[in-house]
Amino acid sequence: MGAKHSSEEAWERESRTDLCWEQVQEGLAHAVDFSWAQIKQLHQRFRLLSGDQPELRPEGFDGVPDLASNPLRARIVHAFFDNRNLGKGSCGVSEAITFQDFLGIIAYFRPSLVRAEAPPRDKMRFLFNLYDQDGDGLITLQEYRRVLEDLLSAANPREDGASVRAMATNVAGGALREAARASEHPPEDGESYPGITFEDFVRTWSGIDLEVKMQVSFLNLEALCK
Amino acid sequence: MWHQALGPGWKPLLLLALVLTSLRGARGFEEEPSEGGSFQVVTFKWHHVQDPYIIALWILVASLAKIVFHLSHKVTSVVPESALLIVLGLVLGGIVWAADHIASFTLTPTLFFFYLLPPIVLDAGYFMPNRLFFGNLGTILLYAVIGTIWNAATTGLSLYGVFLSGLMGELKIGLLDFLLFGSLIAAVDPVAVLAVFEEVHVNEVLFIIVFGESLLNDAVTVVLYNVFESFVTLGGDKVTGVDCVKGIVSFFVVSLGGTLVGVIFAFLLSLVTRFTKHVRIIEPGFVFVISYLSYLTSEMLSLSAILAITFCGICCQKYVKANISEQSATTVRYTMKMLASGAETIIFMFLGISAVDPLIWTWNTAFVLLTLVFISVYRAIGVVLQTWILNRYRMVQLETIDQVVMSYGGLRGAVAYALVVLLDENKVKEKNLFVSTTLIVVFFTVIFQGLTIKPLVQWLKVKRSEQREPKLNEKLHGRAFDHILSAIEDISGQIGHNYLRDKWSNFDRKFLSKVLMRRSAQKSRDRILNVFHELNLKDAISYVAEGERRGSLAFIRSPSTDNMVNVDFSTPRPSTVEASVSYLLRENVSAVCLDMQSLEQRRRSIRDTEDMVTHHTLQQYLYKPRQEYKHLYSRHELTPNEDEKQDKEIFHRTMRKRLESFKSAKLGINQNKKAAKLYKRERAQKRRNSSIPNGKLPVENLAHNFTIKEKELELSEPEEGPNNEETSGGIEFLASVTKDVASDSGAGDTGSDTPLTGRSSPRRPSAAPQQPLLPPRLARPRAPSPAPPERISSATFASEPGAEPEHRALPSAHARSAAARRVHSRRSFQRPRPRRRPALLKLASLPGSTELPPHALEQEETPL
């Protein structure tokens, strides 16, 4: 126990030097649900990704080998630098993020303590932003199609680009029509449906128990350690 | 109460039972006729058929009983079927006993373990929602292992404690007997749980936890039972610490060994079904036989047989469902359900019948009542304790209501009964007490708890499961979501559930599926597309139905091919749409289910730029065609893009191919004459196929078509080009025609897993040099005999893919001039138009009943 304690202190000292301590505390305030051990662990991870720099750049994610095969890799990395997710404005991309920002993004995936009826809107917003890349508040056909291209090309490695594109276009069209029909204000005859709005997006997720799903267990082992 | 509810069905049933017993009584005199030496016209040989006859009659009785139960919806909605069957069994047993005064029909352990249990467990495994199961595996394992041990130990020890206090009076049993009894009564029974929970419809997480527990605790039960039985045999004082250690070791051997046996047999089964293409009729048999062998094998090795067959079902389901044909899949599904449901029916009925035997009943009020109390109380305590631990790690907390249902759902059943009957009376002195107590426990849990669990669930407002079709958006989001979660785990350096699933699905895609799935199945197993096509189909049908109602469509629903053209849409659309829609409908009428997948495959094989667009259009129209015709997002924005890109690609290919053919003409390529001879005949055949269908095209287009086709052919095969250049030179384009025709006319019916076309393609190009660079128009008259009609039609269709380059353009070829592109795009614009329609009509006239990829109606698969 003593060893653990001293290592914690060492970590604290260390982090004071290269990290603005107020930031961490702010981050803590931002992510209340993270325990000390979780933050410590995530900070180690952050340092690993950033190469011991206080700020993490997109290149840092290249060092995650398992991420390379993820079809949505670019999107997810982008989400870490998306100002909308970082709470830094309604559009644009940050050059680099601090540990606090990193923690904030990860916090979208922490299990929330209260079991709410509706999925929390900040989580939904994060997902919506993954689709809505240009930040106009609509998931247009183009945007939807690009997501599907990523997904389908990974799932059908034998297909060539053109046929994946065609598939993605078809499926995206169908999905958008379905969303249009389920929409709060379904388009009248002859009216066009520009894209999925955030409200409609929330609606399409209503069948999925997001609260159950959008959770990653962050080193929950600390329950044992205590 | 249920007597009245049964109403008219009751009397025949009674009669049948009486007949049954009187038949048994008739056994005495059936021998007599054979004594006279003269030839008997009719002989009554009851004993000859007795055993199978009685079995068949029992099955008939049980099945008829099921019909009768379901005559009254009110009864079955309140009383679970298992409880009704037990009561029926009690009544029938009473009748039999009244007639015979011996209990001749009982549920024997052999019957139960060898014939009745395996189908139920296989059914459970084969239709296991894998994702849910593995998602909750940790929880399930904890309940199954720790929970069962806890139940066994506490129940046994508490009973022993009460026994020591003298409340039970004099019994000839020791501590080990109590523990043995505890171990066999502890396990929650899969058959009972399935029977009751299937009617309750609790939410899926709750269901999978209770049900998974009941399946996986078998290993624990088997080990505990065997250990304590051998301890009882040894005698209490001779048990050493080594034996206890051995017991613990044997737990791991039994459980892991059983699982391993299951996995191995699942692998075998998947592998076998990969090659059953030509023996479709016995395909379903493999599923049952090999799974059953896994059960018997692990029984033989004294491993956990239930685990083996469960995991056999769980592991093979994905590959088997992908490999076997649609019809076989349906057969497997129905047979499995029938066997399982039949076995379940018989089990419960025989449980009731077995109870009617005064010889087994030894009553000890304290023992029976305390057993009931202890198993309920300790189950509840166990659940609460384990859930308390689990909830610290589970992301989805198990709440108090869930815990109540889990405790209350701990039903005991036939496994416990079969185990207790297996006990040796010489070793376990109070066997009859155990048997009767087990029966009471089983009846109490199945009947009383089964009856009350539904009101309880309603009263507690337990989250119910909702059965509905997955929406396309949900599927898509779900898919994306999995990737997002695993990415977050990757980034944050956690090895969590998503991480493992991601790694597993990668491994599965890269290796396992390649080994265990047919090549055609590997291609087309994307669930997203399946959902999309199912929706598409539904909408197309409803659209046409609507149209028919309004009288605007003149579909003639007859299977004759001529009707393909007999389509009259009121709205102006490309003709291909009509053809395909009516094709879909016709298929849907004639076949059990329309396989969109096969259409999809064909669609994909048509790589023609314009056809792609047309098909795309077709898809767009198929899907809710009327209301949402015009949209901002519609492809009008998109298609020009696509066209442009593809034109670019085609141009690149043209340039590259021209260069290559130029090169090869210079180098000369007659290097491989042997191979050329070998494939001569085949080639001739292919040439015939490739040329004849074109003869069907309108004559004025012929020349034009072929010149363009030639050019297109030059473009094709860019990826294979570089690989084969050294050996066979560059004139692969002709070979590629033949190859494409071969593989695609094959793909029309068999999918592309014929090894011949795949393997021989690299060599076939060597045969090409002998073919003159004539337009096929000239080659055509040489074709000796016309192919049969089907052949033609499929080949007509198949000749199209030959025209379309199969591969991506090489990024290296960037040079292009605007003029060339314009020329090219004009050409590609003109080219397919005359051919498209006939080709699609032919597509529609393809024989529809051929081998279809099996997924369309398949159950949910895990990867999503």
Side-chain angles (χ1 to χ4, degrees), chain A residues 41-42 45 49 61 64 66-67 69-72 76-77 80 102 105-106 109 111 115 126-127 130-131 140-142 144-145 147-149 151-152 154-163 165-167 169-182 187-196 201 204-221 223-224, chain B residues 131 205 392-399 402 463 466 468 470-494 496-499 502-503 506 509-510 514 519 522-526 528-529 532 535 539 600 603-604 607 612 615-617 619-621 623-624 626-628 630-635 637-638 641-642 645-646 649 805-808:
Chain A
Q41 206 266 350
L42 285 172
R45 189 72 187 167
L49 292 177
F61 288 98
V64 187
D66 298 317
L67 205 57
S69 60
N70 198 312
L72 298 179
I76 291 157
V77 172
F80 273 83
F102 183 73
I105 299 288
I106 295 283
F109 292 88
R115 201 176 188 177
F126 180 84
L127 290 176
L130 275 177
Y131 288 83
T140 58
L141 178 71
Q142 293 287 350
Y144 212 144
R145 184 177 60 95
V147 176
L148 291 185
E149 268 174 33
L151 287 177
L152 288 173
N156 304 282
R158 288 155 153 266
E159 299 294 335
D160 65 23
S163 79
R165 262 199 304 282
M167 278 195 279
T169 312
N170 284 338
V171 177
L176 225 61
R177 266 185 293 272
E178 188 187 86
R181 251 177 294 159
E188 304 288 315
D189 271 359
E191 209 182 352
S192 62
Y193 185 67
I196 302 174
F201 185 74
T204 57
W205 279 87
S206 62
I208 305 171
D209 201 351
L210 189 72
E211 194 45 36
V212 171
K213 278 184 140 188
M214 191 163 174
Q215 290 174 0
V216 174
S217 56
F218 295 102
L219 198 74
N220 273 354
L221 284 173
L224 274 185
Chain B
R131 188 184 170 133
V205 174
R392 318 185 93 199
Y393 305 103
R394 276 186 71 86
M395 287 190 286
V396 190
Q397 302 284 298
L398 293 167
E399 287 164 32
D402 300 334
K463 249 208 285 179
E466 38 178 338
R468 59 187 180 81
K471 290 210 182 95
L472 182 57
N473 271 312
E474 287 173 3
K475 281 277 175 196
L476 295 173
H477 291 328
R479 175 76 67 91
F481 200 58
D482 285 348
H483 289 301
I484 294 169
L485 285 185
S486 73
I488 293 295
E489 283 193 355
D490 289 340
I491 288 170
S492 59
Q494 309 286 332
H497 176 219
N498 297 300
Y499 174 88
D502 195 48
K503 293 296 149 296
N506 277 345
R509 197 168 50 235
K510 278 186 194 144
K514 288 211 170 123
R519 236 175 283 165
Q522 287 171 30
K523 252 189 198 169
S524 53
R525 63 195 168 86
D526 200 314
I528 287 183
L529 293 173
F532 174 65
L535 289 174
D539 278 358
E600 168 68 7
R603 189 186 73 74
R604 270 187 236 158
R607 299 286 164 78
M612 187 80 90
H615 274 270
H616 168 196
T617 319
Q619 300 282 14
Q620 299 266 340
Y621 280 121
Y623 197 86
K624 267 297 164 200
R626 206 154 276 180
Q627 295 123 324
E628 290 109 19
K630 280 180 277 175
H631 289 304
L632 254 191
Y633 65 77
S634 85
R635 71 216 133 52
E637 275 183 7
L638 210 64
N641 255 344
E642 297 270 328
K645 270 186 224 156
Q646 296 194 358
E649 278 182 25
E806 274 208 342
H807 305 281
R808 236 166 301 187

Side-chain angles (χ1 to χ4, degrees), chain B residues 533 536-541 544 555 564 577-591 593-596 599-600 618-619 622 844:
Chain B
H533 288 302
N536 246 354
L537 177 65
K538 233 181 280 168
D539 278 358
I541 288 170
V544 174
F555 282 92
M564 300 320 306
V577 176
E578 285 101 310
S580 297
V581 168
S582 67
Y583 162 67
L584 296 186
L585 281 168
R586 195 173 53 81
E587 275 285 278
N588 201 40
V589 173
S590 57
C593 93
L594 167 76
D595 195 358
M596 286 303 289
L599 185 71
E600 168 68 7
L618 177 147
Q619 300 282 14
L622 276 180

